[in-house]
Amino acid sequence: MRSAVHHVVMVVSAGMPIFEAAVPCEVFGIDRSDLASPWYRFSVVGIGADPVALAAGFTLTGSDTLDVLDRADTLIVPACTNIHDQPPTDQVAVVRAAYERGTRILSICSGAFLLAAAGVLDGRRATTHWMHADEMARRYPAVRVDPSVLYVDDDNVITSAGTAAGIDACLHLVRMDHGAAVAAELARRLVIPPHRDGGQAQYHRLPPAKVSDDWLGQLLDWATNNLHEPLTTTDLAARAQVSVRTLERRFATTLNTSPLRWLLEQRIRQAQQLLETSDLPVDRISSRCGFGTPASLRAHFTRTVGVPPTAYRRTFRTPSDDRRDALQPTR
């Protein structure tokens, strides 16, 4: 029987890369009840020999027993030891059983191979590290492999790309469970960007770094701080002192999107954060986020997020918000 506390269980096995295993420990394994209470309960389970000898000379001892798998709300598979080896049957069985119980499953990097071997990804869109995408597509043709994104959330099954994308995927889970404000604060503590959309291109799509190429990053920072302005592609190109064509090409190559689409996504994200963390009325939020009118905000927000702004605010308000509102004098 599951408790009210969300239980995250990570499975590890011999030879598993240490960094991928460390990411969930940092995100879910540290008590952060000052951000959201209750925080997660986190367990690590070793599959196979005990103790588990991880990569780079690290050894895991004192892991939780296998019975905690039955109580997991989320199962995390950090990475495979070797993608060219057939995953051990005991690991495959653990993933398949969790899936059949309805457990949410997250894989990091090559961990997607274990999910694919368990049949969890059949018919689903999924991703893995771009270096392994062709191999996954060859070995598991029933999986719709997308090597161009950071992570994919397909109905309670989340697959992520390389190591850093695993952090993005873990923050995505925190955002779903506790809201944007909590995920953003956790990101600040980890000294990483507060939210990188799963659809953002993997790093292998970026051009070689050059000193002269940093203008796009500076432009994005400037635009993010000026979303209240009615920015256009021409405005962004003028700010960067490049042609509109050059700007559009750089956005397509680096971010896999257009300048206007990127602006819309940033405005939607800012609106989400304000809806979750402030009492500003919708008309003020629409102005602050650069939508101009409440009608424009509602139309774009509903089309992108799937619900109107007011419904989103009701969904993501915490009990403490409601109690605070109840104490406010009636106007």
Side-chain angles (χ1 to χ4, degrees):
M1 182 176 179
R2 295 177 181 174
S3 65
V5 179
H6 192 103
H7 194 171
V8 177
V9 178
M10 179 177 69
V11 293
V12 297
S13 56
M16 183 172 287
I18 189 65
F19 192 97
E20 284 81 352
V23 167
C25 296
E26 180 70 22
V27 174
F28 303 106
I30 296 176
D31 181 13
R32 304 184 190 276
S33 52
D34 61 315
L35 293 181
S37 183
W39 193 246
Y40 299 92
R41 179 184 174 191
F42 183 69
S43 301
V44 179
V45 173
I47 305 297
D50 184 24
V52 180
L54 303 177
F58 289 89
T59 301
L60 174 68
T61 58
S63 63
D64 287 281
T65 56
L66 292 173
D67 64 303
V68 303
L69 292 168
D70 296 332
R71 301 190 296 274
D73 298 290
T74 295
L75 181 74
I76 298 182
V77 181
C80 288
T81 302
N82 188 335
I83 66 165
H84 301 291
D85 294 337
Q86 188 66 24
T89 55
D90 53 354
Q91 297 178 33
V92 173
V94 165
V95 173
R96 184 177 294 128
Y99 177 69
E100 291 173 351
R101 286 192 298 269
T103 304
R104 184 172 66 183
I105 302 177
L106 164 67
S107 68
I108 298 176
C109 195
S110 60
F113 279 79
L114 183 53
L115 272 60
V120 171
L121 301 182
D122 287 356
R124 295 182 184 274
R125 177 170 165 258
T127 193
T128 186
H129 195 292
W130 62 270
M131 292 180 64
H132 309 318
D134 289 343
E135 176 67 11
M136 171 170 278
R138 184 188 67 80
R139 286 172 55 184
Y140 303 104
V143 181
R144 294 183 287 120
V145 182
D146 186 348
S148 65
V149 294
L150 296 180
Y151 60 86
V152 173
D153 185 339
D154 189 333
D155 192 24
N156 233 28
V157 176
I158 301 93
T159 52
S160 62
T163 301
I167 303 176
D168 294 302
C170 287
L171 284 177
H172 171 66
L173 298 191
V174 174
R175 179 182 174 86
M176 287 196 299
D177 296 336
H178 296 294
V182 171
E185 177 57 28
L186 177 55
R188 280 191 285 270
R189 296 185 183 188
L190 298 176
V191 198
I192 58 176
H195 180 58
R196 293 198 302 168
D197 182 36
Q200 182 173 321
Q202 287 191 34
Y203 278 120
H204 79 288
R205 300 283 297 275
L206 292 174
K210 299 178 183 179
V211 175
S212 60
D213 286 347
D214 63 359
W215 61 265
L216 182 56
Q218 295 177 16
L219 177 64
L220 297 184
D221 289 341
W222 175 84
T224 301
N225 292 325
N226 289 275
L227 292 175
H228 58 284
E229 299 289 347
L231 299 176
T232 66
T233 301
T234 301
D235 294 329
L236 295 180
R239 175 72 185 186
Q241 297 182 332
V242 297
S243 67
V244 169
R245 183 175 180 180
T246 296
L247 183 77
E248 292 175 336
R249 183 169 60 247
R250 179 51 58 91
F251 266 79
T253 302
T254 306
L255 301 177
N256 197 31
T257 190
S258 68
L260 289 180
R261 181 64 191 175
W262 181 88
L263 281 170
L264 176 61
E265 290 172 353
Q266 306 317 302
R267 288 182 166 127
I268 292 292
R269 289 172 189 158
Q270 188 178 79
Q272 287 177 302
Q273 195 165 37
L274 289 173
L275 288 166
E276 292 184 26
T277 62
S278 78
D279 295 322
L280 290 174
V282 171
D283 59 341
R284 290 279 303 281
I285 291 177
S286 64
S287 177
R288 182 173 293 190
C289 297
F291 286 102
T293 66
S296 178
L297 168 62
R298 281 191 288 268
H300 287 295
F301 194 96
T302 303
R303 183 166 57 250
T304 303
V305 181
V307 295
T310 51
Y312 182 88
R313 170 172 269 168
R314 285 195 302 269
T315 299
F316 282 93
R317 289 185 72 85
T318 64
S320 60
D321 291 330
D322 295 334
R323 286 194 299 269
R324 186 182 64 246
D325 289 347
L327 295 174
Q328 296 295 321
T330 303
R331 295 183 178 82

